Amino acid sequence: MSTTDEESGGVLRSILPPEQVDRFLGTCDDYGWPLLGLGALIAASFPVLGLEGGYYMTVLTEMFLFAILALSWDIVGGQTGYPSFGNMAFFGIGAYATAILTKDFALAFPVAFLLAGLLAVTFAAIIGIVVLRLRGHYFAIATLGVLLVAQQVSRILDITGGASGKILLETPSAETFYYLFLGVLVFEMGLVYYLSGTRFGFVLNAIRDDEEKATAMGFNTTYYKTAAWMLAGLFTGFAGAAYSLFNTFIDPQTAYNGAWNVELIAMALLGGSGTVAGPVIGAFGLHTIIELVETYAVGWQLVLLGGAVIITVIGFPKGVVGTLSEYASQMDYYKHGGMAATDTDDGSEVSADE
């Protein structure tokens, strides 16, 4: 076990009893679908119970938005092991597509929303043919280049409103966006959770762990990488498609927000990349902290973001969920006298040395 793992485990030992950590993680594994449904039901009940449009509804809606972005990034960056710095390109394409279709072509928002998502997927497929041939830092730099190019193209085109952007006045209610972002997030979490237990999810993880070995085993890694990239583009595009009208304004700086591009990665890493719940937990937690900083310490947002990234990388390299999982596994290992636990015929566990 590395020094970093020992230090993070030491922190957790001082906070949570190992039995509670193990029980909690086991419950999440065994009851993933019921927990997802319960969480969705609780979140959906807030407006019914009196949460009216205003500051708190806006904050919760933005939490759902960032959770979608973080989980979408993790499909490629965490599950597949290809760290992208260009996911906000999909967001911008979805945002501009909805703005143009609703304002210039008078399309209904639901139709424009779906078309924006399809456009983002198409863009992801075309770009993926090129950038997914690269690996490591070459891939990261290439995706950042895609983001910068998309931003510049939006700045010079007349149909996008150029650098001035577009003002959108006829927009749905705040409650509509609340349920829309919540619905997209729940659907994405359910889909990723389902795929994580299928051949598709296993191959993505195999690519992350050793792509050469996955190729040697006969898997078409290009197909799986492109599919994951398109899936990330779809949900990121949906997020941008809804955000343009939610914000009532869109311009190149907003659509391809560089700070958000870093935040969504930090959220996924903070919560635990390569998991379903990790990016969502990271998004909720970090966005809450950012909101508090913007309220009580304006101007320190970027300092906080940088500090969160440094602390996560040094102290919790596997994120909250990953570190808790490792801690629970270590406690189970030591609980059985330092030997792996095995199942007996009657279903009980015994250590391997018994």
Side-chain angles (χ1 to χ4, degrees), residues 161-212:
S164 300
K166 284 181 173 292
I167 298 176
L168 307 166
L169 300 178
E170 299 181 5
T171 62
S173 65
E175 188 172 313
T176 299
F177 287 110
Y178 178 91
Y179 283 115
L180 178 59
F181 282 118
L182 174 61
V184 173
L185 174 60
V186 171
F187 179 71
E188 183 180 20
M189 289 184 68
L191 182 60
V192 174
Y193 180 67
Y194 167 75
L195 291 176
S196 65
T198 65
R199 176 189 178 94
F200 182 81
F202 294 146
V203 174
L204 292 187
N205 291 166
I207 293 173
R208 176 192 63 199
D209 297 336
D210 193 329
E211 186 169 352
E212 287 78 9

Side-chain angles (χ1 to χ4, degrees), residues 107-132:
L107 280 183
F109 172 62
V111 178
F113 176 79
L114 293 175
L115 289 177
L118 292 176
L119 183 61
V121 169
T122 303
F123 179 76
I126 296 173
I127 295 299
I129 295 174
V130 179
V131 298
L132 288 173

Side-chain angles (χ1 to χ4, degrees), residues 58-74 88 91 181 185 188 236 239 243 246 257 259-268 278-288 290-291 294 305:
T58 300
V59 171
L60 284 175
T61 303
E62 290 177 348
M63 284 185 179
F64 300 151
L65 165 64
F66 279 105
I68 294 169
L69 295 178
L71 186 56
S72 298
W73 178 88
D74 194 68
M88 285 300 291
F91 183 90
F181 282 118
L185 174 60
E188 183 180 20
T236 306
Y243 180 78
F246 172 71
N257 195 314
W260 284 17
N261 201 47
V262 177
E263 284 181 27
L264 63 92
I265 298 174
M267 289 169 176
V280 178
I281 294 173
F284 286 2
L286 187 56
H287 187 68
T288 299
I290 290 176
E291 282 294 321
E294 289 180 346
L305 183 60

Side-chain angles (χ1 to χ4, degrees), residues 43-325:
S45 67
F46 288 158
V48 179
L49 297 177
L51 180 66
E52 300 178 353
Y55 174 75
Y56 291 107
M57 178 172 280
T58 300
V59 171
L60 284 175
T61 303
E62 290 177 348
M63 284 185 179
F64 300 151
L65 165 64
F66 279 105
I68 294 169
L69 295 178
L71 186 56
S72 298
W73 178 88
D74 194 68
I75 295 173
V76 176
Q79 299 286 349
T80 316
Y82 275 68
S84 168
F85 283 88
N87 274 36
M88 285 300 291
F90 306 136
F91 183 90
I93 289 172
Y96 270 114
T98 304
I100 293 170
L101 291 174
T102 55
K103 185 172 184 177
D104 298 344
F105 295 93
L107 280 183
F109 172 62
V111 178
F113 176 79
L114 293 175
L115 289 177
L118 292 176
L119 183 61
V121 169
T122 303
F123 179 76
I126 296 173
I127 295 299
I129 295 174
V130 179
V131 298
L132 288 173
R133 298 177 181 273
L134 305 172
R135 298 184 186 181
H137 56 279
Y138 295 107
F139 172 79
I141 293 173
T143 55
L144 179 60
V146 170
L147 172 62
L148 296 177
V149 169
Q151 184 181 49
Q152 186 60 31
V153 170
S154 299
R155 184 175 284 114
I156 62 178
L157 291 178
D158 292 334
I159 195 171
T160 62
S164 300
K166 284 181 173 292
I167 298 176
L168 307 166
L169 300 178
E170 299 181 5
T171 62
S173 65
E175 188 172 313
T176 299
F177 287 110
Y178 178 91
Y179 283 115
L180 178 59
F181 282 118
L182 174 61
V184 173
L185 174 60
V186 171
F187 179 71
E188 183 180 20
M189 289 184 68
L191 182 60
V192 174
Y193 180 67
Y194 167 75
L195 291 176
S196 65
T198 65
R199 176 189 178 94
F200 182 81
F202 294 146
V203 174
L204 292 187
N205 291 166
I207 293 173
R208 176 192 63 199
D209 297 336
D210 193 329
E211 186 169 352
E212 287 78 9
K213 185 178 293 185
T215 302
M217 293 174 64
F219 295 118
N220 186 346
T221 58
T222 300
Y223 164 79
Y224 285 98
K225 290 187 297 184
T226 304
W229 181 250
M230 292 172 64
L231 194 61
L234 174 65
F235 286 105
T236 306
F238 277 153
Y243 180 78
S244 61
L245 269 68
F246 172 71
N247 193 52
T248 69
F249 173 74
I250 197 72
D251 67 349
Q253 185 64 31
T254 305
Y256 307 98
N257 195 314
W260 284 17
N261 201 47
V262 177
E263 284 181 27
L264 63 92
I265 298 174
M267 289 169 176
L269 296 178
L270 178 64
S273 63
T275 65
V276 180
V280 178
I281 294 173
F284 286 2
L286 187 56
H287 187 68
T288 299
I289 297 174
I290 290 176
E291 282 294 321
L292 293 175
V293 171
E294 289 180 346
T295 302
Y296 300 105
V298 179
W300 289 84
Q301 295 93 324
L302 293 179
V303 176
L304 166 69
L305 183 60
V309 172
I310 294 173
I311 292 173
T312 300
V313 171
I314 296 178
F316 300 90
K318 295 184 179 180
V320 173
V321 174
T323 304
L324 285 174
S325 298

